[in-house]
Amino acid sequence: MNKLLAPMSGSRNVEYADFVRSFEKEHNRQILKLQTGDPDFSTPQVIQDSLSRSLSKGKTHYTNSQGAPELREAIVNKLKKENKIESIVEEVIVTNGGIQGVSLAVNAIINPGDKALIFEPYWMPYHSILTVAGAEISKVSIDLENYDEQKILNDFYDTYSDDVRIVIINSPSNPTGIVFSENFITSILKRISSQTFLLSDEVYERIIYDEIKHISTASLGIKTKQIISVFSFSKTFAMTGFRVGYVHADNKIISEMLKLFQFSSTCIAPFIQDACLTALTDEGIDFEINRMVKKYDERRQMLKKIKSATMPAGAFYCFIKIPDKLAREDFPFWMVRENGISVSPGDAFGNYSGYFRISFAVSDDVWSRSVDFLSKILNS
Ligand SMILES: Cc1ncc(COP(=O)(O)O)c(C=O)c1O
C-alpha cells in the first residue's frame, strides 16, 4: 500500500453522514440534515436544457483534455469580467470539480517533505490531499471567539518561512463563512517568497452578503505567477452533481496539472462542458444566481435567533461553538439521537471539536424548523 495514505483517515463527514442515514433507517425517523454543503436548489433549467441538447446532438465522445476550447474561452472572459484576472486559454484547465483542481495543483508542485501552510479551521480535503502528496503541514489556527485579522496575520508571519512551498487560503470560507479583507490577502502575498505558491480557493465567490465584494487573489497584481486560483460550477450554479471546476494558474503549472489529469480522468464529459458553457454565457443566469443568494441571505438572517451564532459573510455555513453546558465528545451524534438534527462535527475541520457546522443550503421548511430547535437547545 502507499505509505503516504496510512496517516490519512476517511472523511469524518462521510462517516457521520453514514451514521445519520443508518439512524434514520433503524429508527424510522426523519432527521433534519444540516451537514451537507449542497445547494437545495435545482440546477437552472437553461443549464439542464443545454445538457439534454448536447446529448441529443451526440456529444458523447472523448474531447480536449484541458477543457473544450470554447469553454476555456468563456472562462477567460468570465475571469476578466467578474474576477478582474487577465488570462489566456493556456492558463486554464477544466477539472472534475474544484476538489480535483486543488488535488492536481498540489500534486503538480509538491514533492514529499515540502512544507505547506493552511489556516485552521480548514476544508478537510486540503489536509488530506497535502498528506497524500507527502507535504509537511503547518497550521495557523484562527481564534474564532476573538476574531482579529491582524492577529491571524501575525500568527501567519510567525509560522511561515521562505521555504514553504504552498499556502492555501479559502475565502469565502468553508466552514466559517469568513471573507478575508483585501488588506489581509495583500499582506500574505507581500510576505511570501518566490518559492511559495498561493492556492486561492474561491469556489464560494458568488455566495457573499451585505454588499461585500469578492476579491480574487490573482486580481491584486502581486506575485500573480505564483497564484493558483480554484473555482467551481458547483455552488454558484447549484451544479454539484455535474462535478466541474476550473483552475487558473501560470501555464507551466497548468501543463503539469494536465499530465496528471490526462492519466486519471482523460477529459470532462463534453455534454457536461456544454452545460457549463451555458452557465457562463446565458444572459438570464445572473438572475438565477441572485435569486439563490437572496434566499441564502434570508435564511442567514434567521441565524440571529441563535445567540452563539456568528453571522457568516459568505458561503452558506455557520460554525458554532458548543455551549459549555452541552459540551460532550459525541455532540454531533447526540444531536441526531436526542434532537433529530444532524450537524457537521467541528473536528472534521481540524482541531475544533468544541464547534459544529450547520449548512443553510437546505429547504426553507427544514431550515426554519432547525433554527427553532437549535435556538431552544443552544439559547437556554
Ligand atoms: C472550500 C471548498 N473548496 C472546494 C470545494 C469543491 O467543490 P466541488 O468539487 O464540488 O467543485 C468545496 C466543496 O464543498 C469547498 O467547500
Side-chain angles (χ1 to χ4, degrees):
M1 294 298 149
N2 180 345
K3 290 195 192 85
L4 293 169
L5 284 171
M8 193 174 102
S9 51
S11 162
R12 284 280 285 135
N13 268 331
V14 171
E15 188 190 306
Y16 182 68
D18 288 345
F19 159 76
V20 175
R21 264 190 299 273
S22 52
F23 182 91
E24 278 188 316
K25 206 165 163 215
E26 216 175 289
H27 296 83
N28 195 19
R29 185 171 168 198
Q30 193 83 33
I31 298 298
L32 296 170
K33 294 187 211 60
L34 304 185
Q35 89 270 21
T36 37
D38 191 349
D40 58 303
F41 301 102
S42 304
T43 306
Q45 194 60 44
V46 272
I47 300 175
Q48 296 187 35
D49 292 347
S50 165
L51 182 136
S52 312
R53 256 196 325 275
S54 180
L55 272 177
S56 57
K57 277 193 213 147
K59 291 188 77 173
T60 53
H61 295 273
Y62 291 138
T63 185
N64 186 300
S65 270
Q66 197 168 336
E70 57 277 25
L71 177 57
R72 279 186 291 140
E73 199 63 64
I75 290 171
V76 165
N77 292 337
K78 177 263 181 188
L79 289 173
K80 185 180 169 78
K81 189 169 152 237
E82 292 184 23
N83 304 93
K84 314 284 177 255
I85 298 173
E86 294 292 338
S87 64
I88 50 172
V89 287
E90 289 76 14
E91 294 168 346
V92 171
I93 182 168
V94 183
T95 56
N96 267 297
I99 191 166
Q100 194 191 29
V102 175
S103 171
L104 294 176
V106 165
N107 284 292
I109 61 181
I110 291 289
N111 286 297
D114 278 352
K115 292 185 181 166
L117 189 152
I118 55 178
F119 293 86
E120 189 179 35
Y122 47 78
W123 183 53
M124 186 53 97
Y126 302 145
H127 195 276
S128 306
I129 291 166
L130 288 166
T131 302
V132 179
E136 250 178 52
I137 308 169
S138 303
K139 296 168 207 153
V140 172
S141 292
I142 300 179
D143 178 354
L144 296 169
E145 281 185 83
N146 307 292
Y147 185 77
D148 176 358
E149 268 197 347
Q150 190 52 50
K151 163 89 173 61
I152 307 170
L153 268 181
N154 293 343
D155 290 346
F156 170 76
Y157 296 144
D158 288 347
T159 312
Y160 175 82
S161 53
D162 286 347
D163 58 348
V164 165
R165 197 75 180 131
I166 189 167
V167 172
I168 300 184
I169 59 169
N170 171 217
S171 175
S173 143
N174 174 9
T176 60
I178 288 170
V179 173
F180 291 131
S181 71
E182 181 171 341
N183 173 58
F184 182 87
I185 302 171
T186 304
S187 305
I188 289 185
L189 281 172
K190 283 191 177 153
R191 174 63 190 89
I192 60 172
S193 78
S194 58
Q195 295 177 54
T196 304
F197 291 101
L198 181 64
L199 188 147
S200 181
D201 180 341
E202 305 182 19
V203 305
Y204 295 98
E205 58 179 328
R206 290 297 297 268
I207 305 171
I208 193 158
Y209 311 105
D210 296 334
E211 299 187 10
I212 302 173
K213 288 260 173 297
H214 172 71
I215 295 164
S216 284
T217 306
S219 70
L220 296 170
I222 311 167
K223 299 182 181 144
T224 312
K225 283 195 172 301
Q226 291 164 239
I227 300 169
I228 301 162
S229 309
V230 177
F231 301 94
S232 174
F233 288 86
S234 289
K235 317 287 174 170
T236 305
F237 304 102
M239 286 173 72
T240 47
F242 284 66
R243 308 302 314 124
V244 192
Y246 52 98
V247 177
H248 170 257
D250 186 74
N251 60 5
K252 287 201 195 81
I253 302 172
I254 296 290
S255 58
E256 297 307 285
M257 289 171 67
L258 181 58
K259 289 183 199 163
L260 289 167
F261 181 83
Q262 283 172 339
F263 300 125
S264 54
S265 302
T266 308
C267 66
I268 304 295
F271 49 91
I272 297 266
Q273 296 198 55
D274 277 351
C276 292
L277 180 60
T278 299
L280 291 184
T281 53
D282 183 82
E283 283 181 357
I285 215 73
D286 257 349
F287 175 81
E288 297 286 339
I289 299 171
N290 294 338
R291 185 179 59 85
M292 293 189 267
V293 175
K294 190 164 171 279
K295 258 281 166 229
Y296 292 137
D297 195 15
E298 281 167 25
R299 297 179 193 154
R300 184 182 75 114
Q301 297 299 335
M302 289 162 70
L303 284 167
K304 288 178 182 151
K305 290 191 189 167
I306 304 170
K307 280 192 214 143
S308 46
T310 313
M311 286 293 254
F316 37 56
Y317 308 106
C318 187
F319 203 52
I320 304 178
K321 188 168 188 304
I322 303 170
D324 288 346
K325 62 177 191 314
L326 296 180
R328 48 191 298 152
E329 242 174 57
D330 64 342
F331 180 84
F333 297 88
W334 174 81
M335 283 293 277
V336 172
R337 285 195 305 267
E338 296 297 317
N339 301 299
I341 302 184
S342 64
V343 301
S344 292
D347 61 4
F349 307 95
N351 195 13
Y352 285 78
S353 56
Y355 283 77
F356 64 94
R357 188 197 74 177
I358 51 175
S359 158
F360 45 94
V362 292
S363 73
D364 287 344
D365 173 53
V366 166
W367 183 241
S368 68
R369 284 194 287 143
S370 303
V371 170
D372 285 346
F373 270 136
L374 283 169
S375 53
K376 273 193 204 111
I377 302 162
L378 302 173
N379 293 354
S380 61

